[in-house]
Amino acid sequence: MKKIVALLCALLVMGGSAQALEVSAPSALLMEKETGAVLFAKDEHAKLEPASVTKVMTLLLTMEAIDSGALHYDDVITASAHACSMGGSQIWLKENEQMTVSDMLKAVCVVSANDCAVALAEAVSGSEEAFVEKMNQRAAELGMEDTHFCNATGLPAEGHVTSAYDIALMSRELIRSHPDIRQYTTIWMDSLRDGASSLVNTNRLIRFYEGATGLKTGSTDSALYCLSGTAERDGMELIAVIMKAPTSTQRFNDATSLLNYGFSTYTLKTVVPESALPPIPVSLGTQATVQPVLGEDTHLLLEKSKAGGLQQTVSLPESLEAPVTAGSQIGTLTVTAGEEVVAELPILAGEEIPRVTFGQMLSRMLRTAFLCS
């Protein structure tokens, strides 16, 4: 059923006016966070160098380590010689300099610090090489089929490639599962080392785009200018990915165009049954009824022109026979806009109802006979 809902969203999206939207970058994609629906795509599977947008995966694995308890924001990391040897964007860590995980996350998110990215990678996996193995493993788990990582930073390396689509996948996982990353990605200006090191975000959307929430810039001579830009308005968060833009200004202009298109054209609705779902009688069960509940995937991405007149139809059986498995589909909530079916959402059994045993049935019969005598 999840696949059906996703397909409906995709058909809805592709039926819109996305094809009228143009961006100058050779590869780009716009995705909605909750549903994963693609609202715009341009050569989205082209395998290109991502530069420092690579660090979305570095951040994802670091946040997963924090959420698992393997790492903590206030843990102190000692910078290794390897971490301090990174070129490109950095905060000039000195070997054996100590800094908290939180400050290193800030440095990675705000100024794309390569030295801190590697220090975090070493803290998570023991070495950058082991971390890169984990990066590629996680990419495979997320379905990032266009991706191969060679390092934790995005510094140029032969074979280090990904695609706009894959960047959207890992960006979505980061912002959906680890919303705390916003405490770093939304910083415009800050400092480290008790104010001695000033930070200004490389992502100018944070300063100039309403609702911007992140996420990561990247640029090298060969990758040109890349961006995974996220923004939220009216409860809907979008991910705009730009790859190989010719200039920094153009990547932000393209991302702004994508985000503006998404916010002006689509809205995200959460479906709630218009009336309480009634209990369903269960025959031969250990209890007389089961309570239906709506499944977890209740977000609908809709064109704004269709979002105002939605109607619901609930289809439930008159009765069920035990056993009933918790979470099994027992009905459907159909959402329509006029004559068009927008989505069919599963209604599930809210609890398990085992079938009565012979002994339980006999006990019921004897109890009923005794009460009637």
Side-chain angles (χ1 to χ4, degrees):
M1 185 58 68
K2 290 183 179 180
K3 292 181 179 179
I4 293 175
V5 173
L7 178 60
L8 286 169
C9 287
L11 290 173
L12 168 67
V13 167
M14 296 310 293
S17 57
Q19 300 309 310
L21 179 64
E22 294 184 2
V23 297
S24 63
S27 179
L29 184 129
L30 180 67
M31 178 180 285
E32 192 279 318
K33 178 187 72 174
E34 288 298 335
T35 63
V38 175
L39 310 184
F40 174 89
K42 178 182 178 182
D43 203 9
E44 70 276 23
H45 290 289
K47 295 182 179 181
L48 300 170
E49 295 178 55
S52 284
V53 180
T54 296
K55 296 186 181 84
V56 171
M57 181 60 80
T58 303
L59 293 169
L60 174 59
L61 293 180
T62 301
M63 293 302 292
E64 287 178 344
I66 290 171
D67 285 357
S68 72
L71 200 64
H72 304 87
Y73 287 118
D74 57 358
D75 285 350
V76 175
I77 297 175
T78 301
S80 69
H82 176 60
C84 297
S85 71
M86 295 297 111
S89 301
Q90 55 186 303
I91 61 165
W92 308 103
L93 283 174
K94 302 298 183 184
E95 186 176 355
N96 296 320
E97 182 178 356
Q98 293 187 320
M99 190 171 288
T100 64
V101 168
S102 181
D103 280 349
M104 287 194 173
L105 280 169
K106 183 192 298 185
V108 172
C109 291
V110 179
V111 296
S112 197
N114 292 321
D115 43 8
C116 288
V118 172
L120 287 169
E122 292 173 338
V124 171
S125 297
S127 69
E128 185 181 11
E129 291 77 12
F131 187 81
V132 170
E133 289 184 14
K134 186 175 290 189
M135 292 172 73
N136 286 312
Q137 178 183 348
R138 193 70 179 96
E141 292 169 356
L142 292 173
M144 297 169 59
E145 297 180 357
D146 308 319
T147 297
H148 178 73
F149 294 119
C150 296
N151 56 54
T153 60
L155 286 167
E158 186 175 354
H160 186 100
V161 294
T162 187
S163 66
Y165 181 78
D166 285 3
I167 288 172
L169 289 181
M170 66 177 176
S171 298
R172 180 182 182 228
E173 181 65 18
L174 177 60
I175 62 178
R176 280 188 78 203
S177 301
H178 309 281
D180 284 353
I181 198 67
R182 283 191 182 192
Q183 66 183 305
Y184 304 104
T185 60
T186 56
I187 294 171
W188 173 240
M189 298 180 69
D190 208 327
S191 63
L192 294 171
R193 300 178 173 119
D194 296 324
S197 300
S198 297
L199 307 176
V200 180
N201 204 316
T202 57
N203 180 6
R204 76 182 196 193
L205 293 180
I206 297 301
R207 174 66 176 84
F208 297 106
Y209 192 83
E210 179 187 352
T213 56
L215 187 62
K216 193 69 201 72
T217 60
S219 64
T220 64
D221 290 343
S222 52
L224 300 183
Y225 295 90
C226 306
L227 172 70
S228 178
T230 58
E232 182 176 20
R233 293 181 186 175
D234 299 323
M236 180 174 71
E237 191 162 13
L238 301 178
I239 303 161
V241 181
I242 304 296
M243 298 196 74
K244 215 173 179 67
T247 67
S248 178
T249 297
Q250 196 58 59
R251 70 176 162 185
F252 293 120
N253 288 345
D254 282 347
T256 296
S257 295
L258 289 179
L259 293 170
N260 285 346
Y261 164 75
F263 287 126
S264 65
T265 308
Y266 296 96
T267 186
L268 192 67
K269 295 288 187 180
T270 301
V271 177
V272 177
E274 293 174 344
S275 57
L277 299 175
I280 307 299
V282 178
S283 60
L284 301 177
T286 55
Q287 62 187 60
T289 62
V290 63
Q291 179 60 50
V293 295
L294 197 59
E296 294 182 358
D297 295 329
T298 60
H299 293 99
L300 295 183
L301 184 68
L302 301 167
E303 292 182 23
K304 286 187 174 181
S305 60
K306 299 178 180 178
L310 299 180
Q311 295 181 322
Q312 296 181 9
T313 303
V314 173
S315 175
L316 288 169
E318 292 184 1
S319 64
L320 294 167
E321 182 175 324
V324 177
T325 304
S328 60
Q329 183 172 350
I330 58 175
T332 304
L333 187 152
T334 301
V335 182
T336 57
E339 298 298 319
E340 179 184 355
V341 175
V342 174
E344 294 180 328
L345 305 179
I347 298 175
L348 312 177
E351 55 200 324
E352 181 177 358
I353 310 294
R355 191 180 181 90
V356 292
T357 64
F358 176 78
Q360 289 171 325
M361 181 65 74
L362 180 61
S363 176
R364 283 185 183 180
M365 292 173 63
L366 291 174
R367 186 166 58 249
T368 300
F370 176 78
L371 292 174
C372 292
S373 62

